[in-house]
Amino acid sequence: MPPSDDASPPSPPKRVLEIHFSQTGQLTRVMDHLVQPLVDQPGVTVERQCIEMVQPYPFPWPFFRFFDEFPETVAFVTPDIKAIDAAGPYDLIILGYTPWYLSPAPPVVAFLQSESAAALFRDTPVVTVTACRNMWLMAQYRLNKLIRGLGGRLLDRIVLADQGGTAATFITTPRWMFTGKKDRYLGLFPRAGVAEPEIEGADTFGRRINQWLESETSTGDTTRPIANPDPNPPNPMLLLGEFMGLRSFMIWGALIRLCGRQGRWTRVPIVLFYALFLACAVVVVLPITMVSLLLLRLVPAFRRFHNKLVDRVVS
């Protein structure tokens, strides 16, 4: 029997763009696991892109070069990156980034400031993915502003946080950055980075994205969250410290940039002074966090104000 003329044609495959920048390779592994369920789905076509620099950053980082990077990072002065080979429209963009100095990593900002990003993101749903220390609020806030400025529609965020707590990662993360070593340290500190089960478990989010794509097709629902429940919800206790830290980076960064271009010897004394200042500031931020926790528990008005601030930052 011939097919009915009323039979509807099959829906075209959903097009998903996955793009990220990873210096250490950790975020690349997260993205590998996350997109695998999408790759395995017959009705989804996944295009993967890695943001590559013309002149890659060193890793492990030399001490001075690491701190000399922050003035340009917070000011969104970006490095040259290689062209991205992607052509929309896409049904979804999955953007992977890492926070550097409470801001998105410069190669990601460079991509978002490019002409190709302006065409790709316009009126397109976006899911952001990060694997980082637990201080990601201000970086996400700045990233969200960039995406919205391109006309992208933020659907959800996925955050995988380092397995060490706030205090431990003040030790384990710099050790990883300066030496390349991320194993357990002194028998006291856990491995640096996101725990292996969390990295391998990122495919859970890929399955949820598949469900969202199916729901969006059948119901037009473009608002249902992906990371539900959120494995790393915003920690309001860290917001005040992050806000103060970003303001400090911006003020000192502007001063350092007045002393010359990146890598110039004229920047060496003030960059080294700021590195010492930053180490001392960590000792100050922790008590501020404890005071914020006390106020959140005892003062309802402060709690309401703080919760509204958190919602504004991560929305």
Side-chain angles (χ1 to χ4, degrees), residues 110-130:
F111 165 64
L112 292 175
Q113 291 176 340
S114 67
E115 292 183 4
S116 60
L120 293 171
F121 278 77
R122 187 176 299 114
D123 200 32
T124 302
V126 181
V127 172
T128 63
V129 182
T130 186

Side-chain angles (χ1 to χ4, degrees), residues 12 41 45 65-66 73 77 106 188 196 224-225 235 240 260 277 284:
Q41 186 73 11
T45 299
R65 175 71 188 277
F66 180 83
T73 296
V77 177
L188 300 173
E196 191 64 26
R224 187 161 58 86
N235 185 347
L240 185 58
F277 168 82
V284 176

